[in-house]
Amino acid sequence: MGKQDIGLKSYFKNNDRFADLINTGIYNGIQVVKPDDLEELDTDSSLYIHTQGMKIPLARVRDVIRKSAGDCEYVIYGVENQSSIHYAMPLRVMMYDTLTYEAECRQFVNTRRNRKDSEYLSKMRKKDRFHPVFTLVIYYGEAPWDGARSLKDMMVDMPKWMEKRFNDYPMKLLEIGTCTNTFQNQDIFNFIKIIQLLYSDKVEELQRYYANIKVGRDTAELVGTITENEEILNYVKEHKDEEEINMCEATKRWEQRWTRKITDGFINMMGVRKEGEENLAPEEAIKRLKTEGEKKGIAKEKIEIAEKMKKEGCSKELIERVTGILL
């Protein structure tokens, strides 16, 4: 189990966050689940399947699972975290939900021995009822989700008349990098917004937005863990006595590293560094670029480079520094 998965599990053990996650991800913002109504359940959904005289173990462990009372007697909510795209995820979710129902069915068997003959085969009584199970998949990878979103997406092509009769199993997916949901919980709002800005390299926008806004320490730490951003994680460690973290300051070191990486990429692309000059400082390479550019009169090429950099989301200051063109 990776640090990212462990961090998310711990983060959403908080009932306020979990309730808002479910209300937003499953109920589109309707406040169905209340934090005080949540109760933790065993994450282990493993059981044995008996078939042809054999006892086959089926091991499945949920990431986070809660029980909630409300308009229904109670409802079961599960959350599954995904760092990478899982092309069989709808099937996996269906299995998790099925195992949860199967576990409840076995409770009927164990607690109710007296059944009519018509109830013997199912081992359930006519009036026995299951509790609804909902599973939300949280995908926090940087690449856009291009996997299946329902069981039907995993099927071979079917004619339209067959599709209408097919028993589909849609998957509820929350894609961190692209979601536009409005979360009421400020921790989740900050967590998702910062990750989206980091994934899209919008450092300046992040620093403007969080110039006067601090975020919770565990939120900042989880952001650093999810995005594998060592600069943010080191900043959080250095400010271990602070409950709230200044994300504007926390991202400055990362911005410097990111700026140097982008600058180096364009310098190498333009062939400014010669063989054996891999360690030539960007400042020296930029100076050489400007000098050679003035000698050769390559204004058009510099404009093309500036336009490419702009499309890549480079800042105005960086473009001017690399190309010598005042924007």
Side-chain angles (χ1 to χ4, degrees):
M1 187 185 300
K3 292 181 180 179
Q4 296 169 320
D5 197 33
I6 294 172
L8 276 169
K9 286 181 181 180
S10 177
Y11 194 72
F12 286 113
K13 279 189 175 182
N14 177 288
N15 281 350
D16 288 325
R17 294 170 184 161
F18 188 87
D20 192 40
L21 183 69
I22 297 300
N23 287 333
T24 305
I26 292 180
Y27 296 115
N28 296 320
I30 301 173
Q31 300 302 295
V32 175
V33 180
K34 297 178 175 59
D36 292 341
D37 293 336
L38 288 168
E39 180 183 335
E40 191 167 357
L41 293 177
D42 187 358
T43 57
D44 192 347
S45 299
S46 304
L47 50 75
Y48 285 95
I49 301 295
H50 296 268
T51 178
Q52 298 179 343
M54 296 171 55
K55 192 176 179 182
I56 302 173
L58 194 58
R60 291 292 185 275
V61 179
R62 292 268 197 174
D63 286 338
V64 185
I65 189 166
R66 293 283 191 279
K67 181 170 76 172
S68 172
D71 295 339
C72 186
E73 182 178 331
Y74 70 81
V75 182
I76 297 171
Y77 297 105
V79 171
E80 298 301 320
N81 304 315
Q82 279 298 122
S83 61
S84 56
I85 299 168
H86 194 304
Y87 292 107
M89 200 66 201
L91 177 61
R92 183 176 170 186
V93 168
M94 186 173 71
M95 290 181 64
Y96 275 128
D97 293 351
T98 301
L99 288 174
T100 304
Y101 288 128
E102 175 67 18
E104 190 166 15
C105 182
R106 295 190 179 203
Q107 290 179 6
F108 295 149
V109 175
N110 293 332
T111 58
R112 294 165 184 168
R113 300 293 182 183
N114 298 322
R115 292 179 292 273
K116 298 178 182 179
D117 291 342
S118 59
E119 298 169 332
Y120 183 79
L121 181 62
S122 64
K123 298 180 181 178
M124 286 179 60
R125 295 195 295 186
K126 183 178 179 179
K127 64 180 182 180
D128 288 338
R129 292 293 181 270
F130 293 113
H131 294 88
V133 178
F134 293 88
T135 297
L136 177 66
V137 177
I138 302 178
Y139 169 61
Y140 54 89
E142 188 170 359
W145 181 275
D146 63 356
R149 293 173 182 261
S150 70
L151 190 62
K152 184 167 72 69
D153 291 343
M154 298 175 61
M155 299 294 118
V156 296
D157 290 338
M158 293 183 283
K160 293 296 181 183
W161 62 266
M162 189 180 291
E163 281 187 9
K164 292 178 181 178
R165 293 163 176 80
F166 177 73
N167 290 326
D168 199 7
Y169 203 87
M171 176 182 71
K172 296 171 180 66
L173 175 71
L174 180 68
E175 188 173 355
I176 296 296
T178 60
C179 79
T180 57
N181 307 70
T182 302
F183 288 89
Q184 294 193 7
N185 183 278
Q186 195 62 38
D187 287 340
I188 301 180
F189 172 83
N190 288 329
F191 168 66
I192 292 178
K193 185 174 183 65
I194 295 170
I195 286 180
Q196 288 182 346
L197 291 171
L198 288 174
Y199 277 169
S200 56
D201 292 329
K202 295 180 180 178
V203 191
E204 293 178 350
E205 184 179 336
L206 189 155
Q207 292 182 342
R208 281 196 305 270
Y209 188 89
Y210 287 97
N212 300 307
I213 301 174
K214 291 187 176 183
V215 304
R217 177 185 178 81
D218 58 346
T219 297
E221 186 171 18
L222 184 59
V223 165
T225 301
I226 293 295
T227 59
E228 298 181 333
N229 191 309
E230 292 298 327
E231 284 77 10
I232 291 177
L233 290 173
N234 289 335
Y235 186 90
V236 173
K237 287 179 183 178
E238 291 169 8
H239 296 76
K240 59 184 178 181
D241 297 328
E242 299 177 14
E243 290 301 318
E244 293 186 317
I245 300 297
N246 186 323
M247 288 305 297
C248 182
E249 292 296 324
T251 53
K252 279 185 178 178
R253 296 177 192 173
W254 175 77
E255 179 190 24
Q256 292 168 358
R257 181 174 63 85
W258 176 81
T259 300
R260 185 182 180 99
K261 182 179 178 182
I262 293 292
T263 304
D264 280 351
F266 278 101
I267 287 171
N268 291 333
M269 180 186 74
M270 293 152 63
V272 178
R273 289 190 175 109
K274 311 300 181 185
E275 187 176 351
E277 293 185 334
E278 290 78 7
N279 297 321
L280 181 70
E283 294 76 15
E284 182 60 33
I286 290 169
K287 182 179 178 182
R288 182 186 295 177
L289 170 67
K290 289 179 180 178
T291 303
E292 292 182 0
E294 289 168 0
K295 288 179 181 178
K296 297 177 182 179
I298 54 173
K300 182 180 178 182
E301 182 180 349
K302 286 161 61 173
I303 290 172
E304 290 176 354
I305 292 168
E307 288 176 346
K308 288 180 182 178
M309 292 180 71
K310 191 173 182 181
K311 286 181 181 179
E312 291 292 329
C314 297
S315 67
K316 175 183 173 181
E317 292 78 12
L318 177 59
I319 297 173
E320 289 180 349
R321 202 165 76 236
V322 172
T323 64
I325 298 175
L326 296 178
L327 302 178

